[in-house]
Amino acid sequence: MRFQTPLIPAVLLRRYKRFLADARLACGHEITAHVANPGSMLGLKDEGLKIWLEPNDDPKRKLKYAWRLVEHQSGAFTGVDTGVPNRMLRAALEAGEVPGLVGYDHVRPEVRYGENSRVDFLLTGADRPDAYVEVKSVTLSRRDGIAEFPDSVTARGAKHLAELAAMVRAGHRAVMLYLVQRTDCHEVTLAADLDPAYAAAFAAATAEGVEVLAFDCRISPEAITLGQPLPFRAP
């Protein structure tokens, strides 16, 4: 997925009210950018971080910049836009490019299921059970090379795991897919200390047959694309 307009570097000043961030451009001008991430962004919102912004000239948008990436001192990148995984994965699923999820005839996004929920993707095909796929963006890393989910308490995430388990009991296939939007991690696990309830829901769901897939991303200021499968380590 290529960015619509070239990204520009900036220095983060602060992130606040969940969807806003102030930053300083290279010219010294201070601006406010939209943050497409309602999570805690643990480790990604410290003052002074180098970030990358996507400018726009859409008169319908109140803010003329959107925060897309963090560039770490190591040179690694983290994608902070939680909308990226679904947009990128939809194209990859339709092209049959996601290992473990190939061979389906139809890819339907945002299909109602469970208790007033929508599954990220419903995959259907002849002579195979439907596959319900939930996608989570993973951006937290507190140990070198290890990505963790979630970065804060997520009752909604635990609810999704229970609903995936219900799909397995109904005879369908259910998949929890973790997409690591970092270029410095080689495996994925759960941040059980941050949300023990989510870790318990994960254990219960996988015991009932919910599958787990994890992938990394190739990230640059030009584009974010699906990378390689990553090992998932239970906590």
Side-chain angles (χ1 to χ4, degrees):
M1 188 197 79
R2 297 192 65 82
F3 295 109
Q4 293 183 346
T5 56
L7 302 191
I8 60 174
V11 174
L12 180 65
L13 299 177
R14 62 173 182 145
R15 184 259 185 141
Y16 57 103
K17 294 184 178 179
R18 298 178 71 196
F19 299 108
L20 297 175
D22 291 338
R24 182 182 297 113
L25 304 181
C27 65
H29 184 57
E30 294 185 5
I31 58 89
T32 299
H34 178 253
V35 185
N37 189 325
S40 77
M41 295 183 66
L42 183 62
L44 302 173
K45 58 185 180 183
D46 297 334
E47 180 181 352
L49 280 175
K50 182 178 181 179
I51 64 175
W52 289 81
L53 307 174
E54 184 174 21
N56 74 83
D57 56 4
D58 187 344
K60 296 181 181 179
R61 295 185 181 181
K62 294 182 179 179
L63 299 176
K64 298 305 178 184
Y65 298 89
W67 180 7
R68 299 302 186 208
L69 305 177
V70 169
E71 183 174 350
H72 303 279
Q73 289 187 344
S74 64
F77 288 99
T78 295
V80 301
D81 184 345
T82 57
V84 164
N86 284 32
R87 295 197 298 272
M88 181 172 58
L89 279 167
R90 180 175 182 176
L93 287 167
E94 291 175 342
E97 297 174 345
V98 182
L101 295 173
V102 298
Y104 290 91
D105 301 320
H106 303 287
V107 177
R108 297 170 55 200
E110 296 293 320
V111 176
R112 291 186 179 276
Y113 86 126
E115 296 181 9
N116 198 31
S117 293
R118 291 178 183 269
V119 71
D120 288 315
F121 296 103
L122 174 59
L123 312 183
T124 58
D127 302 322
R128 60 176 57 204
D130 295 347
Y132 289 77
V133 183
E134 282 285 351
V135 181
K136 299 299 180 189
S137 174
V138 184
T139 60
L140 174 64
S141 179
R142 296 177 292 176
R143 293 173 287 168
D144 288 346
I146 301 175
E148 300 175 273
F149 184 88
D151 64 1
S152 61
V153 173
T154 172
R156 183 169 177 264
K159 177 174 179 280
H160 287 161
L161 286 167
E163 289 172 335
L164 288 177
M167 294 300 100
V168 173
R169 292 193 296 271
H172 304 298
R173 184 184 179 194
V175 180
M176 184 69 254
L177 191 155
Y178 296 100
L179 187 69
V180 178
Q181 285 202 78
R182 299 186 67 111
T183 60
D184 57 359
C185 292
H186 52 74
E187 67 177 68
V188 192
T189 189
L190 299 182
D193 60 319
L194 297 182
D195 191 349
Y198 183 87
F202 176 90
T206 52
E208 293 209 50
V210 173
E211 303 169 43
V212 179
L213 295 176
F215 297 88
D216 66 8
C217 294
R218 292 182 287 268
I219 304 174
S220 74
E222 289 74 42
I224 300 181
T225 56
L226 184 66
Q228 300 299 313
L230 293 179
F232 184 93
R233 311 292 185 193

